[in-house]
Amino acid sequence: MKVFQAEREFQTSGGLHVTDITDEVAEIVRESGVTDGICCVYSPHTTCCVRVNEYEGGMFEDFGALLRRLVPHETYYAHDDWDRRTENICERTRSRRTAMPHCMVDDPRLGGRIDPGR
């Protein structure tokens, strides 16, 4: 069984930023030379989530509105209280919204191409 690993870094503007990485993932799959298998896209960062969805502005607008309703910015969160928090202090970020979506996506490769669905 062939295994191929590649890493890419992305910089976002913070908050509810969306970056379409489809072309980058497709390039890595081509670079791998693997024609059939699984492509695993993963982010080790707690304030990032990876989602598979069509890149459609209305969906991102709706998803952002949903997260803002579920996790309002003006509400107190003990997780963000830096005067109180004593555990897992690595950076001052607001990660409560990104804790909900999943962080890893497995995508089948068919004929050497990713198959994100439509």
Side-chain angles (χ1 to χ4, degrees):
M1 172 183 359
K2 181 176 181 179
V3 175
F4 182 85
Q5 180 176 332
E7 294 183 18
R8 298 295 189 271
E9 291 186 14
F10 299 93
Q11 184 69 40
T12 68
S13 61
L16 295 173
H17 180 91
V18 175
T19 301
D20 184 357
I21 62 170
T22 305
D23 292 341
E24 287 84 353
V25 173
E27 176 59 32
I28 290 169
V29 170
R30 280 190 297 275
E31 184 182 316
S32 75
V34 175
T35 57
D36 292 299
I38 299 292
C39 173
C40 177
V41 178
Y42 168 75
S43 172
H45 201 289
T46 60
T47 59
C48 174
C49 80
V50 177
R51 301 286 305 158
V52 173
N53 205 93
E54 292 181 59
Y55 197 81
E56 192 274 311
M59 191 289 288
F60 298 124
E61 184 179 329
D62 293 342
F63 190 66
L66 171 67
L67 288 176
R68 285 187 287 278
R69 282 194 311 275
L70 290 173
V71 189
H73 181 73
E74 60 279 353
T75 301
Y76 171 81
Y77 297 95
H79 173 76
D80 291 334
D81 187 339
W82 294 100
D83 293 326
R84 174 180 164 184
R85 186 171 170 180
T86 60
E87 305 157 318
N88 300 319
I89 300 174
C90 59
E91 61 182 77
R92 290 182 176 227
T93 59
R94 296 182 180 263
S95 61
R96 58 189 177 266
R97 285 188 183 137
T98 55
M100 289 184 278
H102 57 81
C103 294
M104 185 167 58
V105 175
D106 288 327
D107 194 11
R109 298 181 201 182
L110 304 171
R113 296 177 299 127
I114 61 173
D115 183 22
R118 297 283 176 229

